[in-house]
Amino acid sequence: MTAPHVSFVPPADPLLSPLTGWTRAHWEALADRLLDGILPYATPGFAQYRLPGPPSHSGAWSDGLEGFARSFLLAAFRIAGSEGRVGPELIERYAAGLAAGTDPHHPEHWPPIADRAQPMVEAASVALALHESRPWLWDRLDDGVRGRVVEWLGHFVGAIANDSNWRLFQVITEEFLASVGAPHSREEIDSGLARLDDWYRGGGWYTDGDGKKFDYYNGWALHLYPVLWSRIAGPRADPDTVARHRARLREFLGVHQHFFGSDGAPVHHGRSLTYRFAATAPLWAGALADATPLPPGRTRRLASGALKHFTERGVPDEHGLLTLGWYRPFPGVLQRYSGPASPYWASKAFLGLLLPTDHPVWTAPEEPAPVDTTDSLLALPAPGWLIHSTTSDGIVRLVNHGTDRLPPPPATDTDSPHYSKLAYSTATAPETPLGPDNHLALLAPDGTPSPRGRIHPLGCEGRTAASWHEAYGHRVETVSVVHGPWEIRVHRIDPAADSPVREGGWALADDTAPPVAESGPGWALTRRADGLTSAVVGLYGWGEGAGTVVAAEDTNAYGRYSATPVLEGTGPLLVTLVMLGTGPHTGASARVDAEGGVEVRFPDGVRERVGA
């Protein structure tokens, strides 16, 4: 698949990169394309980039700063990675923007850094960019501009950040201030780093603040910023703290490499998905900090695979812009804080340009990703996930029994399509707003489905994960058992519900035509033109009621037309086969034994028992 506007991409190199064809030259070409694409939207003094699209909740003034800061990060990686051998106009325009943005009397001046305000986020990107491009930019600014930059960044000292990854924005900004001899608070830096220890849950996983908040922020923020902080801090950094961060990152990358499909797509889960290939940032951070278990050729294969995946699907668009969406513009992946320049946190993906051209990640031949070579299964107890992938279709699937992104009780239990589903994958996206896909719901008399709400983990080990949630006063306990492209779900509803119960499989989407729908007694499926199939089969408790397929339009990030196979029935014990792939969906079975356990058989004959 090749978008018509990717002519800027250099020819593939099948010898160095036999899997993706992409090299450092491709990364540099795309960085240049992105930096050129935003130029028409710069204000006259280059202090803001007012990109097209609806404003965020912070407003256009803040969004303009966001355009500067996030693109400055990309420019800094490009400048430093080439040791300043870029067109002088690139350096000059960001120098001009710094001068104008920090001048309170200039019409393009930046909004101030204030408690819990968006400029905190952007200040960290400005500080990082200034550090990494220091010899070519900061060191050449006149004293007046440097003084105003320090004054603007200095408002972070003593300010209150959100108690989440935002604490690290304060760490980064104040460490840069320390590096230039400006006022800062070592206590605030140390306190922000200490919060990481509070949020660490083992296995390389941090929660993004209190609660069960596991997603890509673990990689593109909570692991990334400690690496970048240590680069700024240098000898000021405590060696034990740096070693602890590196050990955790190394452990995380051993898992993170399993989150990319053979086509390069990341698992579509969590918030801020419009950052897209920023999911590759921790891969480069591991190489940069000598904190990765991955061979250098595999690091590049994973990162280049993700970048190529989006580039071939229209990202950036024909104008060289990153739009608010996934492939095409799509509001369903956005949050209130998403503004027109928000997608440019994708700049973090270009961190690898800081590695020299002769580094092994750029010179070693590509090596296969895990999904390229063997079916895999990982149990991740910290986030409560099962990750299972299949080489036959190159798909990675995430079964979710642990993260709901809800703050601790007594906060209100609300569902998000990107956290509350039972499963996510590299080949599908959840229906947004909430749809029936990958969800078990009790249906109220008016047909309103019960939410999943707060997820209460019960365990995650081997090929099994379990949790319970409350649905209209009933406890719904679900056990998932995975094997190959299949998942068998065992649901126990206590007390038994008189209302109908509905379960959905994976939502398939396509831009060209609606997926084919088929259904019959106790089963339903939908199939795309390329053969990818989503099926649900009732194995126990569903009766002979016919399955159905729910079709929708403009509700899925993967395509205009979407369809979800669903079952409806009643009963205190329900067992369902859910399949996403190109394999068979028939031949599975379930039997309840004398102890109340469930003996399940997958379509290929593999058997498992789920206890009572």
Side-chain angles (χ1 to χ4, degrees):
M1 178 186 298
T2 303
H5 54 274
V6 296
S7 57
F8 64 89
V9 173
D13 185 339
L15 295 179
L16 183 60
S17 302
L19 291 154
T20 70
W22 279 42
T23 65
R24 185 184 178 104
H26 292 78
W27 285 81
E28 291 174 340
L30 185 54
D32 292 342
R33 173 67 169 166
L34 292 170
L35 290 167
D36 290 344
I38 64 168
L39 187 54
Y41 302 95
T43 50
F46 299 103
Q48 299 197 16
Y49 288 82
R50 298 291 184 95
L51 299 173
S56 73
H57 71 94
S58 297
W61 188 21
S62 177
D63 293 347
L65 164 62
E66 187 171 67
F68 176 91
R70 300 189 180 198
S71 65
F72 184 27
L73 194 60
L74 176 59
F77 294 157
R78 184 71 176 96
I79 293 165
S82 65
E83 297 184 326
R85 292 188 295 272
V86 294
E89 64 277 2
L90 180 63
I91 297 174
E92 290 167 2
R93 84 188 205 214
Y94 281 96
L98 288 163
T102 57
D103 180 353
H105 305 294
H106 195 283
E108 298 171 27
H109 71 277
W110 297 336
I113 296 169
D115 291 349
R116 299 188 178 91
Q118 186 66 29
M120 286 185 161
V121 184
E122 312 319 321
S125 290
V126 170
L128 284 170
L130 285 170
H131 172 75
E132 296 297 347
S133 64
R134 192 181 296 248
W136 304 280
L137 221 164
W138 175 260
D139 291 348
R140 299 181 184 181
L141 295 174
D142 66 50
D143 290 343
V145 175
R146 281 202 294 258
R148 293 203 305 272
V149 170
V150 163
E151 183 178 3
W152 184 78
L153 293 174
H155 285 95
F156 224 138
V157 182
I160 300 172
N162 292 324
D163 197 28
S164 64
N165 69 89
W166 283 44
R167 296 292 297 274
L168 297 178
F169 305 148
Q170 189 163 35
V171 168
I172 291 291
T173 303
E174 295 199 35
E175 195 63 65
F176 175 77
L177 291 171
S179 77
V180 297
H184 63 282
S185 168
R186 181 57 53 186
E187 181 182 357
E188 289 178 352
I189 294 171
D190 292 342
S191 174
L193 293 170
R195 283 301 274 154
L196 281 174
D197 296 332
D198 297 336
W199 297 329
Y200 190 62
R201 298 293 181 263
W205 288 96
Y206 295 101
T207 174
D208 186 15
D210 294 334
K212 300 188 294 294
K213 301 175 181 178
F214 301 98
D215 51 33
Y216 284 115
Y217 277 83
N218 190 68
W220 64 38
L222 299 166
H223 278 296
L224 177 63
Y225 286 113
V227 168
L228 299 177
W229 161 76
S230 69
R231 288 172 62 85
I232 301 173
R236 294 185 302 277
D238 173 61
D240 291 339
T241 299
V242 172
R244 186 166 64 253
H245 293 159
R246 287 177 175 173
R248 292 171 180 174
L249 175 57
R250 180 179 296 273
E251 188 169 9
F252 171 68
L253 291 176
V255 171
H256 189 58
Q257 64 177 323
H258 292 272
F259 277 67
F260 299 88
S262 62
D263 63 356
V267 172
H268 193 90
H269 167 268
R271 67 189 179 99
S272 299
L273 290 173
T274 196
Y275 303 160
R276 300 172 173 105
F277 36 78
T280 67
L283 298 168
W284 297 119
L288 203 63
D290 190 22
T292 179
L294 309 184
R298 186 180 304 164
T299 292
R300 190 173 79 255
R301 183 268 179 271
L302 290 165
S304 292
L307 198 65
K308 181 181 181 182
H309 176 85
F310 285 100
T311 302
E312 291 185 336
R313 289 161 177 80
V315 180
D317 70 7
E318 64 273 18
H319 305 294
L321 296 176
L322 296 177
T323 59
L324 284 164
W326 182 247
Y327 301 135
R328 69 195 194 286
F330 183 70
V333 300
L334 307 182
Q335 285 73 42
R336 290 178 61 245
Y337 54 78
S338 302
S342 292
Y344 286 81
W345 241 29
S347 298
K348 295 178 176 186
F350 294 83
L351 185 70
L353 293 179
L354 295 179
L355 294 161
T357 57
D358 60 354
H359 190 283
V361 295
W362 295 119
T363 61
E366 279 186 343
E367 295 188 29
V371 71
D372 297 326
T373 57
T374 184
D375 292 1
S376 64
L377 169 63
L378 292 175
L380 307 178
W385 294 341
L386 295 174
I387 300 289
H388 62 120
S389 65
T390 41
T391 57
S392 60
D393 48 37
I395 296 173
V396 179
R397 306 158 188 82
L398 182 157
V399 175
N400 175 31
H401 285 279
T403 184
D404 49 30
R405 201 174 165 73
L406 295 173
T412 303
D413 295 359
T414 55
D415 275 6
S416 161
H418 293 98
Y419 291 96
S420 62
K421 300 296 186 180
L422 283 160
Y424 300 89
S425 86
T426 57
T428 63
E431 292 287 275
T432 52
L434 288 161
D437 53 301
N438 281 316
H439 178 58
L440 182 92
L442 276 63
L443 301 180
D446 64 356
T448 303
S450 62
R452 192 178 186 191
R454 192 169 298 276
I455 299 171
H456 303 270
L458 294 172
C460 181
E461 184 178 8
R463 63 178 68 252
T464 302
S467 64
W468 70 270
H469 69 278
E470 184 176 329
Y472 293 157
H474 301 265
R475 175 186 165 114
V476 179
E477 181 179 311
T478 299
V479 180
S480 294
V481 186
V482 300
H483 170 61
W486 305 290
E487 176 191 356
I488 291 180
R489 300 171 184 165
V490 178
H491 307 285
R492 299 179 189 272
I493 303 173
D494 183 29
D498 295 329
S499 58
V501 180
R502 184 189 69 191
E503 176 156 29
W506 302 86
L508 291 189
D510 194 355
D511 271 329
T512 56
V516 171
E518 300 178 17
S519 61
W523 66 273
L525 68 80
T526 183
R527 182 182 295 111
R528 280 195 330 212
D530 61 2
L532 183 63
T533 301
S534 166
V536 290
V537 181
L539 303 182
Y540 185 90
W542 290 100
E544 292 299 311
T548 59
V549 174
V550 177
E553 192 169 339
D554 294 327
T555 58
N556 197 286
Y558 271 59
R560 177 181 177 186
Y561 306 101
S562 57
T564 305
V566 299
L567 299 176
E568 189 171 314
T570 57
L573 175 60
L574 300 166
V575 184
T576 313
L577 174 77
V578 181
M579 192 276 287
L580 174 68
T582 56
H585 63 278
T586 59
S589 61
R591 182 181 67 85
V592 180
D593 61 30
E595 291 79 31
V598 180
E599 302 280 350
V600 298
R601 179 184 184 275
F602 288 91
D604 65 352
V606 169
R607 298 176 183 272
E608 290 285 338
R609 183 178 185 275
V610 177

